[in-house]
Amino acid sequence: MKIGILTGGGDCPGLNAVIRAIVRKGVFHYNDTFVGFLEGWRGVLENMARPLDLEAVAGILPRGGTILRTSRTNPVKKERGLERCMENLTKNGVEAMIVLGGDDTQSVSQKLFEHGVKVVAVPKTIDNDLSGTDLCFGFDTAVSIATEAIDRVHTTAEAHNRVIVVEVMGRDSGWIAIYSGVAGGADVILIPEQPFDIQEIAETLKHRHDRGRYFSIVVVAEGAKLASTPAEDERRKKDEFGHVRLGGVGNSLAAEIESRTGFETRAVVLGHIQRGGSPTAFDRMLATRYGIGAIDLVHQGKFGQMVALKGSEISSIPITDAISRTRYVSPELLDVELSLREKHT
């Protein structure tokens, strides 16, 4: 069977491990051949492809990024986009597609599946906010990187009696912020799920200062709501899926904290550092299991499905279920953060 593979949306550690697992099991156990489409859906749209054989995937397990490269291209927004994709799949003799990506990438997978393309999806987002799966590969690596950064800024914050705001990724959900903030001992954690009152945060930090703790760490997800107006959001640039390009809440928050408390405050924006580098052992294992699960779904004829982790088992769910809603931080984890936060009267 000839199978196409692509990686779409933001890159994350573990993508290469998925590709490697798909190709190795496909070649060794199913006698498949593979073609990789470059730069996500752009590669299918513009017919940019390369062969994927055992030599192509040799040595890529520990590598970050993706050997197929990626983009946020949305064929639905292009003239005859879906039709061109289907034509190019036919030209390349592709009998089925395995698509690695988040909700935006998989929304295109679903549309092509509805047009008769045999598609299997693999969940990919370091934000960990895809519905229907307990964990996405890359999340553990991102949390580990963010936690190490928080550990490091602790010492300089204490040395200078500063407040340091650490901005981490998380557009619609605060999984990275909660996990890294709790693991790194942050004093305040701000996430998109709970819009925050800046004055309340300032009072919390002042109370901590009053009891002799002259430094503080605030972790904020990039999508946390900081009194922005819809008009401001409309002026910001958007990607092809209509999402506002985020970033900057850390600096805004740091300025507000310093203004309201008088404490010297600095911001650290981790940004794409969280996406880069080699995946953790956990993510390599999870990504490999997802890759094997995906190629097995193809040969079981279970198209229109996404591989998913349920507890400790790999299973599958309809792509429509995965992209229908965002997976938010649970109330139990929110309670963990609030239980550790300084109280003030």
Side-chain angles (χ1 to χ4, degrees):
M1 193 172 192
K2 190 169 188 181
I3 300 167
I5 303 175
L6 68 80
T7 55
D11 68 302
C12 77
L15 284 167
N16 286 325
V18 178
I19 295 168
R20 172 182 178 270
I22 293 169
V23 172
R24 286 175 67 91
K25 180 155 192 185
V27 170
F28 292 147
H29 296 270
Y30 295 120
N31 199 31
D32 292 325
T33 58
F34 295 91
V35 57
F37 290 94
L38 304 178
E39 301 178 19
W41 287 115
R42 180 184 296 154
V44 183
L45 193 66
E46 300 178 10
N47 198 22
M48 302 186 299
R50 58 165 287 186
L52 280 179
D53 54 17
L54 293 175
E55 183 64 27
V57 301
I60 68 171
L61 178 64
R63 287 174 55 182
T66 163
I67 61 170
L68 295 178
R69 303 197 301 275
T70 187
S71 72
R72 298 187 185 277
T73 303
N74 184 0
V76 178
K77 298 289 187 180
K78 311 295 183 182
E79 185 178 356
R80 295 187 64 252
L82 292 178
E83 290 85 350
R84 287 161 59 191
C85 286
M86 294 169 67
E87 289 167 3
N88 288 329
L89 291 177
T90 301
K91 285 179 186 177
N92 284 277
V94 172
E95 299 169 76
M97 282 291 296
I98 298 178
V99 178
L100 286 59
D103 54 354
D104 291 330
T105 301
Q106 304 303 355
S107 69
V108 180
S109 299
Q110 178 60 28
K111 285 184 172 61
L112 285 172
F113 173 67
E114 291 166 1
H115 281 74
V117 177
K118 296 177 178 179
V119 181
V120 164
V122 177
K124 183 278 322 166
T125 168
I126 62 169
D127 287 354
N128 202 42
D129 61 356
L130 259 178
S131 183
T133 187
D134 291 346
L135 278 175
C136 294
F137 63 88
F139 173 66
D140 184 71
T141 304
V143 168
S144 297
I145 292 167
T147 302
E148 182 180 355
I150 295 166
D151 287 346
R152 290 178 180 275
V153 299
H154 255 109
T155 57
T156 187
E158 186 172 11
H160 290 273
N161 292 339
R162 284 175 176 162
V163 177
I164 294 189
V165 177
V166 182
E167 180 185 317
V168 301
M169 285 185 168
R171 173 186 298 278
D172 299 308
S173 63
W175 290 99
I176 293 176
I178 282 285
Y179 269 71
S180 64
V182 171
D187 303 295
V188 174
I189 304 170
L190 305 174
I191 61 175
E193 288 87 340
Q194 285 195 324
F196 61 90
D197 181 336
I198 183 61
Q199 187 56 38
E200 182 181 337
I201 301 307
E203 293 300 325
T204 296
L205 298 179
K206 285 194 280 189
H207 189 273
R208 175 177 163 81
H209 190 275
D210 290 343
R211 69 175 182 86
R213 303 298 284 171
Y214 300 128
F215 73 97
S216 297
I217 305 295
V218 178
V219 173
V220 58
E222 62 183 341
K225 304 301 185 293
L226 178 66
S228 63
T229 65
E232 288 172 340
D233 285 340
E234 285 301 316
R235 288 196 296 269
R236 300 174 74 178
K237 291 183 178 179
K238 297 182 180 181
D239 64 21
E240 291 192 11
F241 291 93
H243 295 308
V244 171
R245 294 180 181 175
L246 299 178
V249 66
N251 287 302
S252 299
L253 182 59
E256 282 291 330
I257 288 172
E258 183 163 321
S259 172
R260 292 166 185 264
T261 64
F263 305 151
E264 188 177 2
T265 307
R266 297 287 185 271
V268 175
V269 181
L270 298 186
H272 290 81
I273 290 172
Q274 295 157 92
R275 291 193 185 279
S278 186
T280 60
F282 181 91
D283 276 338
R284 296 182 200 190
M285 182 62 175
L286 180 59
T288 298
R289 294 179 70 197
Y290 274 148
I292 291 169
I295 191 66
D296 285 345
L297 284 180
V298 169
H299 286 278
Q300 292 163 8
K302 294 182 178 179
F303 300 109
Q305 296 278 307
M306 183 187 82
V307 289
L309 180 71
K310 292 290 189 180
S312 61
E313 302 295 324
I314 297 293
S315 61
S316 68
I317 61 170
I319 296 173
T320 50
D321 289 355
I323 64 177
S324 62
R325 61 187 182 278
T326 301
R327 180 171 174 264
Y328 295 115
V329 171
S330 66
E332 186 269 334
L333 286 179
L334 292 173
D335 185 63
V336 169
E337 191 274 327
L338 291 174
S339 297
L340 298 172
R341 187 185 293 190
E342 193 100 8
K343 289 188 71 175
H344 62 86
T345 55

